[in-house]
Amino acid sequence: MRHLPRARLLALQLALLVASGALEAPLSAPRSLVWGPGLQAGVVLPVRYFYLQAVSSEGQNLTRSPPGQTLFRVVIKSLSPKELVRIHVPKPLDRNDGTFLMRYRMYETVSKGLKIEVLYGDEHVAQSPYILKGPVYHEYCECPEEDPQAWQKTLSCPDKEPQIEKDFASFPSINLQQMLIEVPKRFGDERGAIVHYTILNNHIYRRSLGKYTDFKMFSDEILLSLTRKVLLPDLEFYVNLGDWPLEHRKVNETPGPLPIISWCGSLDSQDVILPTYDITHSTLEALRGVTNDLLSIQGNTGPSWINKTEKAFFRGRDSREERLQLVQLSKENPQLLDAGITGYFFFQEKEKELGKAKLIGFFDFFKYKYQVNVDGTVAAYRYPYLMLGDSLVLKQDSPYYEHFYMALKPWKHYIPIKRNLSDLLEKVKWAKENDEEAEKIAKEGQLTARDLLQPHRLYCYYYRVLQVSSEDPSCLVECPQAKKWPESLLPEGAQESACGTLATLRNTLNAS
Ligand SMILES: *[C@@H]1O[C@H](CO)[C@@H](O)[C@H](O)[C@H]1NC(C)=O
Ligand SMILES: *[C@@H]1O[C@H](CO)[C@@H](O)[C@H](O)[C@H]1NC(C)=O
Ligand SMILES: *[C@@H]1O[C@H](CO)[C@@H](O)[C@H](O)[C@H]1NC(C)=O
C-alpha cells in the first residue's frame, strides 16, 4: 500500500474503521493498560484475575472492543521448566466496553514463580511479560500468611467497611458467656439453623445448633479457604444459615441483642452480615462448574445498550407476592414489561391464572435494557449479578440488604421502585424517554458494582468481620462440659467439639 497517496490511504483506513463500526484509532498493544490483583504473587484466590484496558495508538481508551474475535490472549507458565503445573486459563472475557477480564486458576503451587504473557496477536501488551516471583500458591495450599496486616495490605483491603462498622456499632462488647447460654435456647430449637464456630490456632471447630444446618458447607468452605491464606484470630461466633436475619431485640432493650452473623440483613434486625453464601460459593467454585460468578457475568452482558430490547425484564420463582403482581402487570403492559414465574411453590393456586414461563439462562437477561429486582424470601441474591450487567436495574424498595448495598444510591446506581410496585410502569416509561440518563445510571451502577464485588474484596470483608468479632477480650470464655464429636461429621480440615469454646478447647488440646 506504500504507493497509495497518503490522503487516500487515510480515507481507506477511515472507511475500514467505519465499516467495522469502530470509529476509533487502531488499538495499540504497548499503550494498552494491564493491572489487577492477579499480577501479584501474594494475592491468593481460588481464581486469580486482572484487567485490561484497550488503548488506541493515539492514547485514547477504546470504549468498545475491537471488532471480531478478540486477539487478546494470555499465556501462563511456570518460571522454572522443572516445575510442571496445571493452570487453567480461559479466554479473556470481553466486557464490551474496551476492557477485558483475564482469569486463571492454579491447581498447584509454583515455588520459583510464574510468567504471565499478555498478547495481542503476537505482540506483547503493556509491560508483558509479567513475572510473579514465587512462591505462588494455589487455592488449596495450606499456606497462611502469618501477618494479617501484611495480608490485608497485599489485598489492598479498604481501611473502612461502613456496613461492618454499622453492624458492630450495636455491640460495643460481646458477651460470649451470655451467648453460650442464650443462643441455643433462642435459636437452636428444632427449626434452628445455627452453627457455633470456634477458631483456635487457625483451626476451625464447630457444632450445629438445630436441624437445618446443611448450609454449613458454605460457611465451612469459606472459613477453611481463609485459614489457608491468612492466620485467623482466635475467636468464637455464631452463624445463622437460615434465610431470615434473627436478632430482633433493640439495642437499648434488656437483655440486649446478640451478635448473630447472617447472610442477609434487615432494617428491623441487628444481625451482623457477611457476603451471601451465593456469591461466596460461586467465587470459591468459579471455573470449576459454577458458571455464574462475579467475574464470568461481566463478560456475558448481552448486546450493546442500543441493541437491547427496550423492556423491563423479570424471571424467577414465586417466592414473594409482588412477583406475581409483576406478571399481572406484564400481561397488561407487554410493551413495557416482560415478566414470568418459572417455578411455583408458595402460590401454586396461581399457576393456572398466570402461567409458567420457560427457564431462561441468566446471561440472556441482558438482552433487555431494564432489569426488575424484586425480593424473594429475603433480598434477591441475583442483585449483585444484575448490577454487574450493563442493563438498568429497577430495584424494589426493601427492608432487606446484603453486605454491599450501602454503597449503592438510588438514581445514581439504580432506579428505586415502590415496594408495592405502584410506580414501576411509570419508571420504565421514564427510562425509555430518558435513554441517555438511563444508560448513564446503568453504567455508573455497573462500574461501582465491579469495584465493590471484586472477589478479593469478599475475602477482605470476611476477614474484617472475624477481626472485629475477636477484638473484645471477653471473647474467651470457659465452657464446663467438653465432648469430642465424631471426625466423620467434619469437613476436611475442620474439627468439631460439642462445647466449642476457646478456653475448653485450649485445655483439651493441651491435655492431649
Ligand atoms: C483509561 O482507562 C483507565 C483504566 O480503565 C482509567 O484508569 C483511565 O482513567 C482512563 N483514561 C481516560 C482518559 O479516561
Ligand atoms: C447492533 O446490532 C447490529 C445488528 O446485529 C450490529 O450490526 C451493530 O454492530 C450492533 N451495534 C452495536 C453498538 O453493538
Ligand atoms: C403503594 O405504596 C405507596 C406507599 O409507598 C402508597 O402510597 C400507595 O397507596 C400504594 N399503592 C397501592 C395501589 O397500594
Side-chain angles (χ1 to χ4, degrees), residues 50 52 72-76 89-92 102-104 116-119:
F50 55 94
L52 188 154
F72 286 114
R73 60 199 175 93
V74 176
V75 179
I76 304 183
V89 190
K91 278 209 307 231
M102 321 300 213
R103 299 164 295 165
Y104 63 101
I116 300 185
E117 294 177 307
V118 185
L119 302 163

Side-chain angles (χ1 to χ4, degrees), residues 146-161:
E146 303 216 336
D147 177 355
Q149 256 179 334
W151 178 81
Q152 285 171 297
K153 198 154 169 247
T154 306
L155 262 70
S156 306
C157 292
D159 297 331
K160 285 202 164 136
E161 285 286 2

Side-chain angles (χ1 to χ4, degrees), residues 230-333:
V230 61
L231 202 58
L232 297 180
D234 289 351
L235 82 152
E236 299 189 52
F237 52 96
Y238 295 80
V239 174
N240 160 31
L241 306 168
D243 286 333
W244 289 277
L246 287 178
E247 183 50 279
H248 293 279
R249 282 182 187 162
K250 303 275 182 298
V251 175
N252 52 9
E253 265 175 46
T254 320
L258 303 174
I260 300 286
I261 299 181
S262 294
W263 281 312
C264 181
S266 73
L267 297 177
D268 62 351
S269 63
Q270 306 294 335
D271 299 37
V272 169
I273 58 174
L274 287 174
T276 66
Y277 67 87
D278 180 298
I279 52 178
T280 306
H281 178 70
S282 68
T283 295
L284 285 159
E285 290 302 308
L287 296 182
R288 292 210 320 175
V290 168
T291 49
N292 278 9
D293 61 79
L294 297 173
L295 298 178
S296 65
I297 193 77
Q298 298 186 36
N300 291 285
T301 55
S304 300
W305 182 261
I306 59 160
N307 277 343
K308 290 187 193 293
T309 305
E310 279 206 331
K311 282 185 193 183
F313 187 77
F314 177 86
R315 288 290 182 278
R317 296 187 312 125
D318 65 339
S319 44
R320 183 167 294 271
E321 196 162 7
E322 287 95 38
R323 292 186 170 193
L324 306 176
Q325 289 168 17
L326 207 55
V327 178
Q328 194 58 44
L329 280 174
S330 163
K331 284 187 186 299
E332 293 155 11
N333 303 273

Side-chain angles (χ1 to χ4, degrees), residues 406-420:
M406 208 182 232
L408 299 174
K409 304 280 176 255
W411 295 105
K412 185 168 160 62
H413 302 112
Y414 65 89
I415 304 288
I417 50 178
K418 291 206 170 112
R419 188 136 185 89
N420 61 17

Side-chain angles (χ1 to χ4, degrees), residues 33 35 53 61 99:
L33 305 169
W35 74 97
Q53 165 77 58
N61 286 350
T99 70

Side-chain angles (χ1 to χ4, degrees), residues 218-234:
F218 297 120
S219 39
D220 284 349
E221 67 178 355
I222 180 66
L223 290 171
L224 290 171
S225 177
L226 273 163
T227 62
R228 292 192 290 265
K229 294 170 184 55
V230 61
L231 202 58
L232 297 180
D234 289 351

